[in-house]
Amino acid sequence: AQKVTQAQTEISVVEKEDVTLDCVYETRDTTYYLFWYKQPPSGELVFLIRRNSFDEQNEISGRYSWNFQKSTSSFNFTITASQVVDSAVYFCALSALRDDKIIFGKGTRLHILP
Amino acid sequence: GAVVSQHPSWVICKSGTSVKIECRSLDFQATTMFWYRQFPKQSLMLMATSNEGSKATYEQGVEKDKFLINHASLTLSTLTVTSAHPEDSSFYICSARTPTRAQTQYFGPGTRLLVL
């Protein structure tokens, strides 16, 4: 069975602080994909990143960075120098190569306080 | 990038009526579309997978007779909530997969349904 756990239900930080959102996953598949999505109050899902299970390189995109560690089944997301516009719900998700189903974590609600 | 639209963006209806939600891939052909439901402050839950020209595959616990899915063309899938009740009030999101980029789903903006 596949499962995605985001243990942090809600986080509040002051603007300009760094914040890390945790994601731990479970799967028996050897080939799979991991995702992060942002859902602002409007509701529309914003794709942030997709990483396949064979690529453990960390990735940086502007203020965003991702740390994929297969040994601990984690795919954590860090926002550096947070901004109020980063306030949203962030979902970590998992998909196996054998099917297209995306399994979402429960999400972490991030509040960036001015 | 690939664009997926949904119509309507929100709908309010009386209990007992049926509501149809459309999901369109605007600039690509989607062989597979997915329907998700999201209750307030909860995660997205996959309801069903629809493939063009064939019957949809429903996830466990989703009533196929209540949530009718039709994927009649490569750019359009519809979800009909039949005899809607207040507990069906939710945020419905569709996504579409391109045949050329597996494991990449493009999400629509969602449809908010409120059943009175």
Side-chain angles (χ1 to χ4, degrees):
Chain A
Q2 298 183 87
K3 185 179 178 181
V4 177
T5 301
Q6 294 180 256
Q8 303 150 309
T9 305
E10 204 157 343
I11 300 175
S12 294
V13 300
V14 177
E15 197 173 19
K16 296 183 184 176
E17 287 185 358
D18 299 346
V19 58
T20 296
L21 309 183
D22 298 332
C23 174
V24 174
Y25 63 92
E26 295 175 31
T27 181
R28 293 179 182 171
D29 293 278
T30 54
T31 305
Y32 51 89
Y33 295 83
L34 296 164
F35 305 82
W36 275 96
Y37 290 90
K38 174 182 180 180
Q39 188 176 43
S42 64
E44 186 162 359
L45 279 179
V46 177
F47 169 82
L48 297 178
I49 190 172
R50 183 188 80 169
R51 178 51 52 92
N52 76 56
S53 52
F54 294 109
D55 183 3
E56 286 193 70
Q57 274 194 324
N58 291 330
E59 182 157 339
I60 298 175
S61 176
R63 296 186 295 108
Y64 296 169
S65 62
W66 292 270
N67 185 336
F68 176 26
Q69 294 205 352
K70 220 168 172 178
S71 59
T72 55
S73 297
S74 65
F75 187 43
N76 296 338
F77 172 34
T78 298
I79 301 175
T80 304
S82 60
Q83 299 176 2
V84 173
V85 293
D86 296 327
S87 298
V89 180
Y90 290 86
F91 291 98
C92 180
L94 168 70
S95 174
L97 179 63
R98 57 182 165 79
D99 65 29
D100 293 322
K101 296 180 183 180
I102 295 182
I103 307 300
F104 286 86
K106 292 190 175 182
T108 296
R109 188 172 296 272
L110 178 63
H111 302 279
I112 307 299
L113 309 172
Chain B
V3 179
V4 176
S5 70
Q6 280 185 243
H7 178 79
S9 55
W10 58 271
V11 58
I12 302 174
C13 69
K14 292 183 178 179
S15 187
T17 60
S18 293
V19 175
K20 181 186 281 188
I21 302 170
E22 292 185 350
C23 176
R24 292 182 186 273
S25 55
L26 299 184
D27 53 359
F28 66 97
Q29 293 185 328
T31 50
T32 305
M33 288 184 169
F34 304 85
W35 287 95
Y36 297 83
R37 179 168 55 183
Q38 185 182 28
F39 292 110
K41 297 196 175 185
Q42 293 191 26
S43 188
L44 283 78
M45 299 300 295
L46 179 65
M47 298 176 67
T49 303
S50 78
N51 292 297
E52 186 265 338
S54 62
K55 288 185 179 180
T57 303
Y58 291 81
E59 294 300 300
Q60 193 172 9
V62 178
E63 301 174 56
K64 60 179 69 175
D65 294 331
K66 181 164 185 63
F67 299 99
L68 302 179
I69 292 172
N70 185 291
H71 192 161
S73 78
L74 286 172
T75 59
L76 173 64
S77 175
T78 60
L79 168 67
T80 301
V81 183
T82 61
S83 187
H85 288 96
E87 57 266 31
D88 298 322
S89 298
S90 188
F91 189 50
Y92 292 87
I93 305 174
C94 74
S95 70
R97 182 178 74 83
T98 70
T100 55
R101 284 197 70 191
Q103 310 307 123
T104 297
Q105 291 184 26
Y106 299 93
F107 285 84
T111 297
R112 294 193 187 278
L113 170 64
L114 177 61
V115 184
L116 302 176

